[in-house]
Amino acid sequence: MIERYTLPEMGKIWTDTYKLQTWLDVEIAVCEAQAELGYIPQAAVDEIKAKAKFDPQRVLEIEAEVRHDVIAFLTNVNEYVGDAGRYIHLGLTSSDVLDTALALQLVASLDLILEQLEKLIQAIRYQAQQHRYTVMVGRSHGIHAEPITFGFKLAGWLAEVLRNRDRLVRVAQSIAVGKISGAVGTYANIDPKVEAIACQKLGLEPDTASTQVISRDRHAEYVQQLALLAASLERFAVEIRNLQRTDVLEVEEYFSKGQKGSSAMPHKRNPIRSERLTGMARLVRGHAVAALENVALWHERDISHSSVERVAFPDCCILTHFMLKETTDLVKNLLVYPENMKRNMNVYGGVIFSQKVLLALVEKGMNREDAYRVVQGSAHQAWNTEGGNFEELVRADAQVTALLSTEEIDQCFDPQQHLTNLAEIYSRLDI
């Protein structure tokens, strides 16, 4: 992932140095387990722990000759350890190290993602509380529908990110597995107890039934959940983009002092962060497809997944983390324009209250089809007409006034009539 979208705390997890350190952590945990079970001398383990280190550049030099990254790593470590190094990697295969270490990277990445997700949850919750009573028009098909509040819209966002959090917590358990089971996963050259002890030391669970690799359904689920979170963030970003359109302008991204929106047009204030989020979600989704295709490996193992994962995992984790940070800042600093919301809601004289008029007429005994025809006639007469005013047309319609009093018509055009039950939703989310 390019530096532009890499936050340092997440980028660190996907450096070669961090990766090689996790490899060494796995090798040492296995050595400690072997010693606890009496398979290798404790003195050798102590020497390994005291001397073991690596030089990422040296590993690359060795790999250029041997064409095998794990062998290159082990060769470099043994250059520091000496004779005790013969106990490192005893009975293991490369994937024991690679897959178990990868789990450590994925868990560490998910910890950062969940930490940032909590900040987003709090930002959305705060804005939902602030705009609990900020009335605006709801839209379906992009067309004005009926009144809602901006807080209600944000409540939907909050519910969605809470579901994403629950899914990520579950996938954190699914991905936190290691395997120390040797070639093809049969424990032919290593005691299963070594795996249990080593995984416990690393904070992982042993895989239930690995082959030579941990089955990639776990990894596909991980990436899919990141893609689903990214899709939610994209939904929020697309909504902000739509609401920021000049002809709508109900919300707007914060525009900082000195910021410029266009090299040619000085007036521009563009929703660049929301657009960036939309593009990033496409990238994460693309990696979800690749992760699914990684599930079908040949027999007990091939390495067709390896080249994909070297790109997909760091990209997905780094991008999702960056997207969460961007969305949190966007929500916290969002500019909200209640007066514009009010203006848009009342366009064409309150046509969005047509259903209330319809229902009032039906309750007074008018046939529903007749009531629909009467109300639609006034609504369409007002719609897209300069000076069109649905409410005035309703009040002037003899068929309406024959059944509804002035006070009853007033109630039809009161937006609060649409909001009386929103408290139920707010209570569910503790808003």
Side-chain angles (χ1 to χ4, degrees), residues 137-146:
V137 66
R139 297 168 172 91
S140 60
H141 304 276
I143 309 301
H144 286 197
E146 293 192 344

Side-chain angles (χ1 to χ4, degrees), residues 153-164:
K153 186 185 292 288
L154 292 166
W157 297 9
L158 178 59
E160 191 163 338
V161 293
L162 290 173
R163 289 193 297 273
N164 275 292

Side-chain angles (χ1 to χ4, degrees), residues 41-62:
Q42 182 60 50
V45 177
D46 294 340
E47 186 174 356
I48 290 168
K49 291 170 68 175
K51 295 182 177 180
K53 57 182 179 178
F54 55 84
D55 178 352
Q57 188 58 43
R58 175 62 178 149
V59 173
L60 290 175
E61 291 172 0
I62 299 170

Side-chain angles (χ1 to χ4, degrees), residues 314-333:
D315 277 13
C316 285
C317 293
I318 289 170
L319 275 171
T320 303
H321 186 238
F322 184 90
M323 289 179 71
L324 282 168
K325 177 67 163 55
E326 281 282 281
T327 307
T328 302
D329 291 344
L330 183 56
V331 171
K332 285 175 66 175
N333 298 302

Side-chain angles (χ1 to χ4, degrees), residues 77-286:
V77 170
N78 278 300
E79 289 175 340
Y80 294 101
V81 174
D83 184 62
R86 64 195 176 94
Y87 294 111
I88 299 174
H89 207 70
L90 198 64
L92 304 189
T93 190
S94 296
S95 292
D96 290 326
V97 179
L98 294 173
D99 281 6
T100 305
L102 176 59
L104 297 176
Q105 285 182 287
L106 294 174
V107 169
S109 296
L110 198 53
D111 286 344
L112 290 180
I113 287 169
L114 284 167
E115 179 183 332
Q116 187 58 53
L117 184 56
E118 287 298 330
K119 295 177 182 178
L120 175 59
I121 288 169
Q122 294 309 313
I124 296 175
R125 185 184 299 279
Y126 175 79
Q127 289 285 32
Q129 291 168 338
Q130 294 298 109
H131 295 284
R132 180 179 177 131
Y133 303 109
T134 303
V135 182
M136 66 182 297
V137 66
R139 297 168 172 91
S140 60
H141 304 276
I143 309 301
H144 286 197
E146 293 192 344
I148 60 171
T149 70
F150 190 54
F152 168 71
K153 186 185 292 288
L154 292 166
W157 297 9
L158 178 59
E160 191 163 338
V161 293
L162 290 173
R163 289 193 297 273
N164 275 292
R165 181 183 64 183
D166 292 343
R167 285 188 284 258
L168 290 177
V169 168
R170 288 194 295 270
V171 84
Q173 295 179 319
S174 176
I175 203 63
V177 297
K179 62 91 60 182
I180 309 294
S181 53
V184 302
T186 59
Y187 302 101
N189 299 298
I190 193 159
D191 189 334
K193 293 177 183 176
V194 172
E195 179 184 64
I197 295 170
C199 284
Q200 191 275 329
K201 289 178 180 293
L202 295 166
L204 304 173
E205 291 290 329
D207 193 16
T208 308
S210 65
T211 60
Q212 191 158 321
V213 296
I214 293 173
S215 296
R216 259 43 197 176
D217 64 297
R218 294 181 183 273
H219 305 78
E221 180 187 19
Y222 184 97
V223 179
Q224 285 180 83
Q225 296 306 338
L226 294 186
L228 189 54
L229 171 56
S232 293
L233 302 183
E234 180 186 17
R235 182 172 88 86
F236 309 156
V238 168
E239 183 69 13
I240 291 170
R241 288 167 61 192
N242 270 314
L243 294 178
Q244 186 168 334
R245 285 166 29 222
T246 307
D247 51 330
V248 177
L249 201 55
E250 294 179 353
V251 305
E252 188 177 28
E253 291 187 11
Y254 178 74
F255 202 82
S256 62
K257 183 178 180 180
Q259 183 175 342
K260 293 178 172 62
S262 168
S263 63
M265 297 168 284
H267 71 277
K268 295 296 290 296
R269 291 162 64 108
N270 302 324
I272 57 171
R273 302 182 89 174
S274 300
E275 291 171 335
R276 183 185 301 135
L277 290 165
T278 301
M280 289 178 169
R282 296 169 186 166
L283 290 171
V284 180
R285 265 199 302 279

